[in-house]
Amino acid sequence: MDIRRRPPKPPVNTPNRFSNDDDDQPRTKASDALPLPLYLTNAVFFTLFFSVAYYLLRRWRDKIRHSTPLHVVTVTELAALLALVASFIYLLGFFGIDFVQSFISRADSNNDFEDHRLVTCPPRGGLRDPSPIVSVVDPTLPEEAEEIVKSVIHGDIPSYSLESRLGDCKRAAAIRREALQRITGRSIEGLPLDGFDYDSILGQCCEMPVGYVQIPVGIAGPLLLDGCEYSVPMATTEGCLVASTNRGCKAMYVCGGATSTVVKDGMTRAPVVRFASARRASELKFYLEDAENFDTLAVVFNRSSRFARLQSVKCTLAGKNAYVRFSCSTGDAMGMNMVSKGVQNVLEFLTDDFPDMDVIGISGNFCSDKKPAAVNWIEGRGKSVVCEAVIRGEIVNKVLKTSVAALVELNMLKNLTGSAVAGSLGGFNAHASNIVSAVFIATGQDPAQNVESSQCITMMEAINDAKDIHVSVTMPSIEVGTVGGGTQLASQSACLNLLGVKGASTESPGMNSRRLATIVAGAVLAGELSLMSAIAAGQLVKSHMKYNRSSRDISGALTATTT
């Protein structure tokens, strides 16, 4: 983020290395040339502007009433027009003289400057002297690039504008990166720069890039789901996660796989509007929830996109405030922008019947996005999926190394009772968020939506005279898309292609995104089955000690870092 910082001014009588020798001398100000004090000058121009504007409006109204051509002006009207333009120009400059003075002061003083540098926290021991800056200099930097780096450091060129100024996104990232290292005095050599298409993220994925983070991608599977096999990409730095999910996939595969159903598909957005009274807010609620008005609202809403289709409108009140939850289908897109545009259309339409409606915000948190919320757990958001499998007792013993009875008991006491004791909201599972996050990152989804997408209840029940076990996960709020956002990046697009859900479906709008949601639920089912088995068999700690701990000797690296 590009943040501006103004260093504190030193005490008047304290020597300062940044101040000039003549700092104690009074500076010449642009306002010194005015015949009146600055505040009086501003008051005069304020009065002049509004007076002549009122006079001209009155004159034009009289001309219209008497059918006099507007272009015929008297000397007085001409003078008023000139006065209006002059006062407007003055006021446009944020009170004119003060605006000019800010530039003069900045040019004259090294103490009082605003920079556009990448801001870092000062090291312990006080503010660092910004000049000279501790350099981590790249000796191979061309002379032209060196000048740009210096301009960024000194605030002459805002860091965020490098892409538009240079017309080369990678070069902009390299220059910003070098400036960052010199400002902080710290190297980011381990953060890669090469090997990434920076043009692909401009204006849609990330601002002010200086490199990219490498996350390993592992493959779990094959996941046999609804008769199809999937190799599930998982981007994670947690050891055992891919291996554990893979074991769950194996157990399900040899038992015929899992089946899934998308029971609901609708993205939501809930603006908050306010009225003068609760009665008036109630009238809006009755109007929106009246079935006779739905078709009209749907026509207005659906104008936003050829894929957006309004499904339902629900309204709840808090005093004189109304929270309206719109739900719509969004094709293969995750759909937040799509539903927001549709909501905006409806709000504009409603102002005809409710002109006193005050729109406080396009999102009033009744949606609810990127926050744990009971409304998502109950009503669903995105794709609501249930996925199930039957695991034979012999596979539970041989592959999962535990028993049916132990799994059922652990699930009841841990996932159900334990989560209830903890007051969990949609967290009646072992580690659904682990798998959801890994698949989300690999396939270009919004990682923050892991919050509601990981809401899951895991059920385990002994069947066939307690010889086999029925396992299911119910996930009401999986928010995924196969077009837009991070799905367009090369690596994430490749992972989607591996699953056969890249881009928009040519068969039926929304089919690819729904299939991706079922794959996420299937992978969660595999992960739940394996982890619960490891806990029941007492293998969890042993496995993590073996696979989730680095054996590298990092003492040398630590020494090099500290020195």
Short mmCIF file of all heavy atoms in Angstrom, two decimals, residues 220-224 230 242-257 390-392 395-396 398-401 522 525-527 529-530:
data_model
loop_
_atom_site.label_atom_id
_atom_site.label_comp_id
_atom_site.label_asym_id
_atom_site.label_seq_id
_atom_site.Cartn_x
_atom_site.Cartn_y
_atom_site.Cartn_z
N ALA A 220 -3.76 -34.66 -4.57
CA ALA A 220 -4.43 -35.72 -3.82
C ALA A 220 -5.38 -36.44 -4.78
O ALA A 220 -6.07 -35.80 -5.57
CB ALA A 220 -5.20 -35.14 -2.64
N GLY A 221 -5.41 -37.75 -4.68
CA GLY A 221 -6.33 -38.48 -5.55
C GLY A 221 -5.71 -39.73 -6.13
O GLY A 221 -4.61 -40.13 -5.75
N PRO A 222 -6.44 -40.38 -7.03
CA PRO A 222 -7.67 -39.85 -7.62
C PRO A 222 -8.86 -39.84 -6.66
O PRO A 222 -9.06 -40.77 -5.89
CB PRO A 222 -7.94 -40.80 -8.79
CG PRO A 222 -7.29 -42.09 -8.37
CD PRO A 222 -6.07 -41.70 -7.58
N LEU A 223 -9.62 -38.75 -6.74
CA LEU A 223 -10.86 -38.63 -6.00
C LEU A 223 -11.98 -39.13 -6.92
O LEU A 223 -12.25 -38.54 -7.96
CB LEU A 223 -11.10 -37.17 -5.60
CG LEU A 223 -12.48 -36.83 -5.04
CD1 LEU A 223 -12.70 -37.52 -3.70
CD2 LEU A 223 -12.64 -35.32 -4.90
N LEU A 224 -12.58 -40.23 -6.53
CA LEU A 224 -13.69 -40.79 -7.31
C LEU A 224 -14.99 -40.18 -6.81
O LEU A 224 -15.45 -40.48 -5.72
CB LEU A 224 -13.72 -42.31 -7.18
CG LEU A 224 -14.79 -43.06 -8.00
CD1 LEU A 224 -14.69 -42.72 -9.49
CD2 LEU A 224 -14.68 -44.56 -7.77
N TYR A 230 -10.89 -37.39 -10.25
CA TYR A 230 -10.27 -36.07 -10.23
C TYR A 230 -8.94 -36.14 -9.47
O TYR A 230 -8.86 -36.77 -8.40
CB TYR A 230 -11.17 -35.04 -9.55
CG TYR A 230 -12.51 -34.86 -10.22
CD1 TYR A 230 -13.64 -35.53 -9.72
CD2 TYR A 230 -12.66 -34.03 -11.32
CE1 TYR A 230 -14.88 -35.38 -10.32
CE2 TYR A 230 -13.91 -33.87 -11.93
CZ TYR A 230 -15.01 -34.54 -11.42
OH TYR A 230 -16.23 -34.39 -12.02
N VAL A 242 -1.69 -32.98 2.32
CA VAL A 242 -1.95 -33.64 1.04
C VAL A 242 -1.94 -35.16 1.21
O VAL A 242 -2.79 -35.87 0.68
CB VAL A 242 -0.93 -33.20 -0.02
CG1 VAL A 242 -1.18 -33.93 -1.34
CG2 VAL A 242 -1.00 -31.69 -0.25
N ALA A 243 -0.96 -35.65 1.98
CA ALA A 243 -0.86 -37.10 2.19
C ALA A 243 -2.09 -37.64 2.90
O ALA A 243 -2.62 -38.71 2.56
CB ALA A 243 0.40 -37.42 3.00
N SER A 244 -2.59 -36.90 3.88
CA SER A 244 -3.77 -37.34 4.61
C SER A 244 -5.01 -37.34 3.72
O SER A 244 -5.79 -38.30 3.71
CB SER A 244 -4.00 -36.43 5.83
OG SER A 244 -5.16 -36.83 6.53
N THR A 245 -5.17 -36.27 2.94
CA THR A 245 -6.31 -36.20 2.02
C THR A 245 -6.23 -37.32 0.99
O THR A 245 -7.24 -37.91 0.60
CB THR A 245 -6.37 -34.83 1.33
OG1 THR A 245 -6.35 -33.79 2.33
CG2 THR A 245 -7.62 -34.69 0.48
N ASN A 246 -5.00 -37.59 0.55
CA ASN A 246 -4.80 -38.65 -0.44
C ASN A 246 -5.22 -40.02 0.13
O ASN A 246 -5.81 -40.84 -0.58
CB ASN A 246 -3.32 -38.69 -0.84
CG ASN A 246 -3.07 -39.58 -2.02
OD1 ASN A 246 -3.51 -39.31 -3.13
ND2 ASN A 246 -2.37 -40.69 -1.79
N ARG A 247 -4.94 -40.25 1.42
CA ARG A 247 -5.34 -41.50 2.04
C ARG A 247 -6.86 -41.61 2.10
O ARG A 247 -7.43 -42.68 1.85
CB ARG A 247 -4.76 -41.61 3.46
CG ARG A 247 -5.08 -42.94 4.11
CD ARG A 247 -4.39 -43.12 5.44
NE ARG A 247 -4.97 -42.33 6.51
CZ ARG A 247 -4.98 -42.70 7.79
NH1 ARG A 247 -4.44 -43.85 8.16
NH2 ARG A 247 -5.50 -41.91 8.70
N GLY A 248 -7.52 -40.51 2.41
CA GLY A 248 -8.97 -40.53 2.42
C GLY A 248 -9.55 -40.81 1.04
O GLY A 248 -10.55 -41.53 0.90
N CYS A 249 -8.91 -40.23 0.00
CA CYS A 249 -9.35 -40.50 -1.38
C CYS A 249 -9.22 -41.99 -1.71
O CYS A 249 -10.09 -42.57 -2.37
CB CYS A 249 -8.53 -39.66 -2.36
SG CYS A 249 -8.87 -37.89 -2.33
N LYS A 250 -8.12 -42.59 -1.24
CA LYS A 250 -7.90 -44.01 -1.51
C LYS A 250 -8.98 -44.87 -0.85
O LYS A 250 -9.52 -45.80 -1.48
CB LYS A 250 -6.52 -44.41 -1.00
CG LYS A 250 -6.21 -45.89 -1.19
CD LYS A 250 -4.85 -46.24 -0.62
CE LYS A 250 -4.56 -47.74 -0.78
NZ LYS A 250 -3.23 -48.11 -0.22
N ALA A 251 -9.30 -44.54 0.40
CA ALA A 251 -10.31 -45.31 1.11
C ALA A 251 -11.67 -45.22 0.41
O ALA A 251 -12.40 -46.21 0.30
CB ALA A 251 -10.42 -44.82 2.56
N MET A 252 -12.00 -44.04 -0.07
CA MET A 252 -13.28 -43.86 -0.77
C MET A 252 -13.26 -44.54 -2.13
O MET A 252 -14.26 -45.12 -2.57
CB MET A 252 -13.60 -42.37 -0.92
CG MET A 252 -13.90 -41.67 0.40
SD MET A 252 -14.63 -40.03 0.21
CE MET A 252 -13.38 -39.18 -0.73
N TYR A 253 -12.12 -44.48 -2.81
CA TYR A 253 -12.01 -45.05 -4.17
C TYR A 253 -12.29 -46.55 -4.17
O TYR A 253 -13.05 -47.05 -5.00
CB TYR A 253 -10.62 -44.76 -4.72
CG TYR A 253 -10.46 -45.08 -6.18
CD1 TYR A 253 -10.63 -44.11 -7.15
CD2 TYR A 253 -10.12 -46.37 -6.60
CE1 TYR A 253 -10.49 -44.40 -8.50
CE2 TYR A 253 -9.99 -46.68 -7.94
CZ TYR A 253 -10.17 -45.69 -8.89
OH TYR A 253 -10.03 -45.99 -10.22
N VAL A 254 -11.65 -47.25 -3.24
CA VAL A 254 -11.81 -48.71 -3.22
C VAL A 254 -13.19 -49.14 -2.75
O VAL A 254 -13.56 -50.31 -2.87
CB VAL A 254 -10.72 -49.37 -2.35
CG1 VAL A 254 -9.34 -49.13 -2.93
CG2 VAL A 254 -10.79 -48.86 -0.91
N CYS A 255 -13.96 -48.17 -2.22
CA CYS A 255 -15.32 -48.48 -1.78
C CYS A 255 -16.38 -47.94 -2.74
O CYS A 255 -17.56 -47.85 -2.39
CB CYS A 255 -15.57 -47.91 -0.37
SG CYS A 255 -14.58 -48.71 0.91
N GLY A 256 -15.94 -47.58 -3.95
CA GLY A 256 -16.90 -47.12 -4.95
C GLY A 256 -17.03 -45.62 -5.08
O GLY A 256 -17.85 -45.13 -5.88
N GLY A 257 -16.25 -44.87 -4.32
CA GLY A 257 -16.26 -43.42 -4.44
C GLY A 257 -17.36 -42.74 -3.65
O GLY A 257 -18.09 -43.37 -2.87
N VAL A 390 -19.87 -44.41 1.59
CA VAL A 390 -19.95 -45.56 2.49
C VAL A 390 -18.61 -46.28 2.44
O VAL A 390 -18.15 -46.67 1.37
CB VAL A 390 -21.09 -46.51 2.10
CG1 VAL A 390 -21.05 -47.76 2.97
CG2 VAL A 390 -22.44 -45.81 2.23
N ILE A 391 -17.98 -46.41 3.60
CA ILE A 391 -16.67 -47.06 3.68
C ILE A 391 -16.85 -48.40 4.38
O ILE A 391 -17.38 -48.48 5.50
CB ILE A 391 -15.65 -46.20 4.47
CG1 ILE A 391 -15.64 -44.76 3.93
CG2 ILE A 391 -14.27 -46.82 4.40
CD1 ILE A 391 -15.24 -44.64 2.48
N ARG A 392 -16.42 -49.46 3.71
CA ARG A 392 -16.56 -50.80 4.28
C ARG A 392 -15.65 -50.95 5.50
O ARG A 392 -14.56 -50.37 5.59
CB ARG A 392 -16.22 -51.86 3.24
CG ARG A 392 -17.15 -51.84 2.03
CD ARG A 392 -16.97 -53.11 1.20
NE ARG A 392 -15.59 -53.24 0.73
CZ ARG A 392 -15.14 -52.72 -0.41
NH1 ARG A 392 -15.96 -52.01 -1.18
NH2 ARG A 392 -13.88 -52.90 -0.78
N ILE A 395 -11.97 -51.80 4.96
CA ILE A 395 -11.13 -50.69 4.49
C ILE A 395 -10.81 -49.77 5.65
O ILE A 395 -9.69 -49.23 5.75
CB ILE A 395 -11.83 -49.94 3.36
CG1 ILE A 395 -12.12 -50.88 2.19
CG2 ILE A 395 -10.98 -48.77 2.89
CD1 ILE A 395 -10.88 -51.56 1.62
N VAL A 396 -11.77 -49.60 6.54
CA VAL A 396 -11.51 -48.80 7.74
C VAL A 396 -10.36 -49.40 8.52
O VAL A 396 -9.49 -48.69 9.02
CB VAL A 396 -12.79 -48.69 8.61
CG1 VAL A 396 -12.46 -48.00 9.93
CG2 VAL A 396 -13.89 -47.95 7.87
N LYS A 398 -7.94 -51.69 7.33
CA LYS A 398 -6.69 -51.86 6.60
C LYS A 398 -6.07 -50.54 6.14
O LYS A 398 -4.85 -50.34 6.24
CB LYS A 398 -6.92 -52.77 5.39
CG LYS A 398 -7.27 -54.20 5.75
CD LYS A 398 -7.49 -55.04 4.49
CE LYS A 398 -7.85 -56.48 4.82
NZ LYS A 398 -8.11 -57.29 3.60
N VAL A 399 -6.88 -49.64 5.62
CA VAL A 399 -6.37 -48.38 5.05
C VAL A 399 -6.33 -47.27 6.10
O VAL A 399 -5.33 -46.54 6.21
CB VAL A 399 -7.22 -47.95 3.84
CG1 VAL A 399 -6.73 -46.61 3.28
CG2 VAL A 399 -7.19 -49.02 2.76
N LEU A 400 -7.39 -47.16 6.87
CA LEU A 400 -7.48 -46.06 7.84
C LEU A 400 -6.96 -46.44 9.22
O LEU A 400 -6.83 -45.57 10.10
CB LEU A 400 -8.94 -45.60 7.94
CG LEU A 400 -9.56 -45.11 6.62
CD1 LEU A 400 -11.03 -44.75 6.82
CD2 LEU A 400 -8.79 -43.92 6.07
N LYS A 401 -6.67 -47.72 9.43
CA LYS A 401 -6.02 -48.20 10.65
C LYS A 401 -6.82 -47.91 11.92
O LYS A 401 -6.27 -47.60 12.98
CB LYS A 401 -4.62 -47.58 10.81
CG LYS A 401 -3.74 -47.67 9.57
CD LYS A 401 -3.48 -49.09 9.15
CE LYS A 401 -2.53 -49.15 7.94
NZ LYS A 401 -2.32 -50.54 7.47
N GLY A 522 -15.92 -33.03 -1.90
CA GLY A 522 -15.37 -34.39 -1.93
C GLY A 522 -14.00 -34.46 -1.30
O GLY A 522 -13.69 -35.42 -0.57
N LEU A 525 -14.40 -34.27 2.40
CA LEU A 525 -14.85 -35.56 2.93
C LEU A 525 -13.66 -36.51 3.10
O LEU A 525 -13.53 -37.19 4.13
CB LEU A 525 -15.88 -36.18 1.98
CG LEU A 525 -16.46 -37.53 2.40
CD1 LEU A 525 -17.20 -37.43 3.72
CD2 LEU A 525 -17.38 -38.07 1.31
N ALA A 526 -12.77 -36.54 2.10
CA ALA A 526 -11.58 -37.38 2.19
C ALA A 526 -10.68 -36.94 3.33
O ALA A 526 -10.16 -37.78 4.09
CB ALA A 526 -10.82 -37.35 0.87
N GLY A 527 -10.49 -35.62 3.47
CA GLY A 527 -9.64 -35.11 4.55
C GLY A 527 -10.21 -35.38 5.92
O GLY A 527 -9.48 -35.71 6.86
N LEU A 529 -12.25 -37.83 6.76
CA LEU A 529 -12.19 -39.27 7.02
C LEU A 529 -10.79 -39.69 7.48
O LEU A 529 -10.63 -40.44 8.45
CB LEU A 529 -12.57 -40.03 5.74
CG LEU A 529 -12.69 -41.54 5.83
CD1 LEU A 529 -13.76 -41.95 6.83
CD2 LEU A 529 -13.01 -42.11 4.44
N SER A 530 -9.77 -39.14 6.82
CA SER A 530 -8.40 -39.53 7.15
C SER A 530 -7.94 -38.96 8.49
O SER A 530 -7.34 -39.66 9.31
CB SER A 530 -7.46 -39.08 6.03
OG SER A 530 -6.14 -39.49 6.30
#
